[in-house]
Amino acid sequence: GENVEQHPSTLSVQEGDSAVIKCTYSDSASNYFPWYKQELGKGPQLIIDIRSNVGEKKDQRIAVTLNKTAKHFSLHITETQPEDSAVYFCAASINNNDMRFGAGTRLTVKP
Amino acid sequence: DVKVTQSSRYLVKRTGEKVFLECVQDMDHENMFWYRQDPGLGLRLIYFSYDVKMKEKGDIPEGYSVSREKKERFSLILESASTNQTSMYLCASSKGGEQPQHFGDGTRLSIL
């Protein structure tokens, strides 16, 4: 089955800097790659997703890139703000019922 | 906005008890999911359902069962709770054939 690895497990940046979180997946048939943000005491919230027919997607300060050949995808957050501090999860799936999640990255943005 | 509501935020039960975790979604979604979340392990799928009265095992179904009698409600049942089932439980739903999944805020379950 699919296996998703996520790095780093913790990331600390200064406010205004960029943050990058990377994930690799094992099943080349995976075609959907969402990213979730989980704040303390809340469930994961979708922040951006990308499908396998697209190499990059941007939404304001957040972007995701996908390299299907290398089977890795990354989340980029620019101009980080303290409210970006949270745990971020990547996931990969072939269909909606077969989603596998990474172990999570705890991002801390220091003011 | 999609609303996925889990009935309890915190729950404390004793070993051997039968435990019910309830989840309700208000967007007429076909698919519903139960995950458990443990530090360093991410989210692991316990069971999912793609229609009323239908269920499929996920990666870690042992010790759990589910019930989906109505489209909007998906229940997770711990038949005989054990201490290794202490965890955060997350429910999610999605439109059939589409992604992404929308999550509830979780139930933190402690088994003593």
Side-chain angles (χ1 to χ4, degrees), chain A residues 1-51:
Chain A
E2 176 65 277
N3 182 47
V4 178
E5 294 194 358
Q6 183 172 346
H7 301 280
S9 57
T10 60
L11 179 60
S12 182
V13 300
Q14 207 65 40
E15 182 177 359
D17 287 350
S18 295
V20 180
I21 302 170
K22 298 182 179 181
C23 289
T24 60
Y25 61 99
S26 60
D27 194 332
S28 56
S30 290
N31 59 6
Y32 176 64
F33 307 91
W35 285 89
Y36 288 86
K37 175 184 181 183
Q38 186 175 26
E39 297 175 322
L40 200 61
K42 301 271 189 181
Q45 299 291 313
L46 180 77
I47 55 172
I48 196 166
D49 56 8
I50 192 167
R51 297 182 191 274

Side-chain angles (χ1 to χ4, degrees), chain A residues 31-34 36 38 41-46 49 51 87 89 93-104, chain B residues 9 31 33 35 37 40-43 45 48 50 59 88 90 94-95 97-106:
Chain A
N31 59 6
Y32 176 64
F33 307 91
Y36 288 86
Q38 186 175 26
K42 301 271 189 181
Q45 299 291 313
L46 180 77
D49 56 8
R51 297 182 191 274
V87 179
F89 291 98
S93 73
I94 301 168
N95 58 56
N96 197 23
N97 300 333
D98 196 26
M99 192 168 292
R100 294 294 185 275
F101 288 81
Chain B
R9 293 301 304 273
N31 297 342
F33 308 82
Y35 294 88
Q37 180 178 16
L41 297 178
L43 281 69
L45 182 64
F48 66 93
Y50 52 87
D59 293 328
M88 170 70 85
L90 290 164
S94 72
K95 193 82 176 142
E98 291 181 23
Q99 302 147 357
Q101 299 180 14
H102 301 267
F103 284 85
D105 284 337

Side-chain angles (χ1 to χ4, degrees), chain B residues 59-107:
Chain B
D59 293 328
I60 51 165
E62 297 78 20
Y64 303 95
S65 63
V66 291
S67 172
R68 192 159 180 209
E69 296 297 318
K70 293 185 177 181
K71 191 174 185 180
E72 67 270 18
R73 186 180 296 270
F74 193 33
S75 303
L76 179 69
I77 303 153
L78 286 65
E79 297 291 343
S80 177
S82 64
T83 55
N84 62 11
Q85 292 178 308
T86 290
S87 187
M88 170 70 85
Y89 289 88
L90 290 164
C91 175
S93 73
S94 72
K95 193 82 176 142
E98 291 181 23
Q99 302 147 357
Q101 299 180 14
H102 301 267
F103 284 85
D105 284 337
T107 295

Side-chain angles (χ1 to χ4, degrees), chain B residues 13 38 40 55:
Chain B
K13 297 291 182 180
D38 299 289
K55 61 183 179 184

Side-chain angles (χ1 to χ4, degrees), chain A residues 28-98:
Chain A
S28 56
S30 290
N31 59 6
Y32 176 64
F33 307 91
W35 285 89
Y36 288 86
K37 175 184 181 183
Q38 186 175 26
E39 297 175 322
L40 200 61
K42 301 271 189 181
Q45 299 291 313
L46 180 77
I47 55 172
I48 196 166
D49 56 8
I50 192 167
R51 297 182 191 274
S52 59
N53 57 348
V54 175
E56 183 174 355
K57 185 176 178 180
K58 230 176 165 180
D59 182 4
Q60 299 183 337
R61 295 185 298 108
I62 293 172
V64 57
T65 59
L66 172 65
N67 184 327
K68 284 213 73 182
T69 304
K71 289 190 279 189
H72 67 71
F73 56 113
S74 300
L75 177 72
H76 304 254
I77 307 174
T78 58
E79 300 171 24
T80 53
Q81 301 165 4
E83 50 265 39
D84 293 329
S85 295
V87 179
Y88 291 81
F89 291 98
C90 63
S93 73
I94 301 168
N95 58 56
N96 197 23
N97 300 333
D98 196 26

